[in-house]
Amino acid sequence: MRNWLKSVGIVVALGGASVAAIAQGNNNAVLLQGPATAIYESDVLNDAKRMPEEMRSSFLAKPESVAQMVEALYVRRAIAETARSSGLADQPEIAAAIKIATDKILSDAYLQKFNAEHKPDNKLAEAQAKAAYAAKKETFKAPEQVHIAHILVMNQEDDAAAKAKAEKLLAEAQAGADFAQLAKDNSSDASSAVKGGDLGLVSHGRMVPEFEAAAFALEKPNQLSPVIKSQFGYHIIKLFEKKPARTMSFEEVRPELEKQYVQQSLQTARQGEVERVLKAASWNRANMEAFSARFADKK
């Protein structure tokens, strides 16, 4: 603890400008400097890893968003420094919690490194995937599917009006109006309306019976269904493509088979590492039983 406090004193003595210069020299610039601590670029980058990767860059590109994160990090770090200075870190319960948190961070980092070192070679993964496919090719079945779009008109209160609107939209589509635009402007299904009504590939059992029957009755690309009523309202369905049931090709299933092989290989390697670690340890059963006994009367 004394060594840590001594290092803090040196940082304070150096002053804000010196600390910033040191950080910049390491390509790790100071973003917010306080009297005894600071927040660096690396702090923000590490904290940002909690976000989904696809959101990270857009968040970090906004100075106001980064400022909020930096402020929150600084307040937490400054309070933590105060807690250390007051001796809280030396309290047994707090010290134990810090050790457990540190263990988790370090063990997670080690396992990430372990996985990278034990990940199977791409060629081996491909060969194993090919072998798995050849051994059970008949099990890789794709069911009959239709690629469809739809327009939904909900019958909230006036059923006749909803049906009449759907019939009008169908007539417009049959006359050559852009189906996607009609869906965007009129469909009550907001999630598909933004995509021009596109529902993607759909297989049996995923839709209400009336809708499913109408969708799979369509045969030719761009064919339109009549107005169909379901529990949700009135639908117009457009067929893009119909795919019969078939055996999927190796290339279709290759990514998943390779992923499964890599995961299984890593799991086996990790289990071996766990067994290696545990082999060097020994249980103290008497202490275990004594520990549990202290809680027996509190159940």
Side-chain angles (χ1 to χ4, degrees), residues 205-216 228-232:
R206 291 185 54 196
M207 302 165 287
V208 293
E210 307 91 336
F211 188 98
E212 179 176 306
F216 280 92
I228 304 300
K229 186 177 182 181
S230 78
Q231 66 196 68
F232 301 106

Side-chain angles (χ1 to χ4, degrees), residues 52-280:
E53 191 172 351
E54 61 272 14
M55 293 173 54
R56 213 172 292 159
S57 293
S58 60
F59 177 89
L60 295 175
K62 299 174 183 175
E64 62 276 12
S65 299
V66 174
Q68 291 178 354
M69 177 185 281
V70 169
E71 185 176 282
L73 288 170
Y74 176 80
V75 170
R76 181 178 290 276
R77 180 165 292 173
I79 291 173
E81 302 289 11
T82 301
R84 287 190 185 92
S85 299
S86 69
L88 272 176
D90 294 328
Q91 293 184 5
E93 287 187 8
I94 304 299
I98 291 171
K99 182 171 178 55
I100 288 172
T102 302
D103 289 346
K104 182 179 187 310
I105 292 169
L106 287 173
S107 62
D108 285 350
Y110 174 79
L111 286 175
Q112 188 174 6
K113 178 175 177 287
F114 182 90
N115 286 347
E117 291 173 348
H118 291 79
K119 183 179 179 181
D121 176 80
N122 289 340
K123 290 184 178 179
L124 176 59
E126 181 184 358
Q128 292 294 328
K130 283 182 178 178
Y133 179 78
K136 297 183 178 180
K137 183 177 179 179
E138 69 283 355
T139 65
F140 298 101
K141 300 290 187 182
E144 182 184 25
Q145 294 176 304
V146 284
H147 181 187
I148 53 175
H150 84 136
I151 298 171
L152 169 64
V153 180
M154 293 181 68
N155 51 346
Q156 295 174 334
E157 293 181 4
D158 191 336
D159 188 79
K163 183 177 181 181
K165 181 178 179 181
E167 294 284 4
K168 179 175 178 294
L169 291 171
L170 175 59
E172 291 178 20
Q174 289 172 333
D178 184 353
F179 189 92
Q181 193 60 51
L182 288 175
K184 288 177 182 178
D185 294 340
N186 298 279
S187 183
S188 301
D189 180 4
S191 61
S192 68
V194 294
K195 299 179 288 186
D198 196 338
L199 294 174
L201 282 169
V202 179
S203 54
H204 288 280
R206 291 185 54 196
M207 302 165 287
V208 293
E210 307 91 336
F211 188 98
E212 179 176 306
F216 280 92
L218 299 172
E219 295 291 342
K220 298 178 181 178
N222 299 317
Q223 185 179 353
L224 299 170
S225 74
V227 172
I228 304 300
K229 186 177 182 181
S230 78
Q231 66 196 68
F232 301 106
Y234 291 94
H235 308 262
I236 307 162
I237 307 170
K238 178 179 179 178
L239 177 69
F240 292 118
E241 180 186 12
K242 193 168 190 176
K243 291 187 172 184
R246 61 192 173 82
T247 299
M248 291 184 282
S249 69
F250 171 69
E251 289 304 321
E252 287 178 284
V253 299
R254 173 180 172 179
E256 184 59 29
L257 288 175
E258 289 183 351
K259 179 181 176 182
Q260 288 176 7
Y261 173 71
V262 169
Q263 289 177 338
Q264 289 168 359
S265 296
L266 290 177
Q267 180 60 33
T268 300
R270 286 194 296 265
Q271 185 58 37
E273 181 70 358
V274 168
E275 291 172 2
R276 181 191 69 78
V277 170
L278 287 175
K279 191 175 182 181

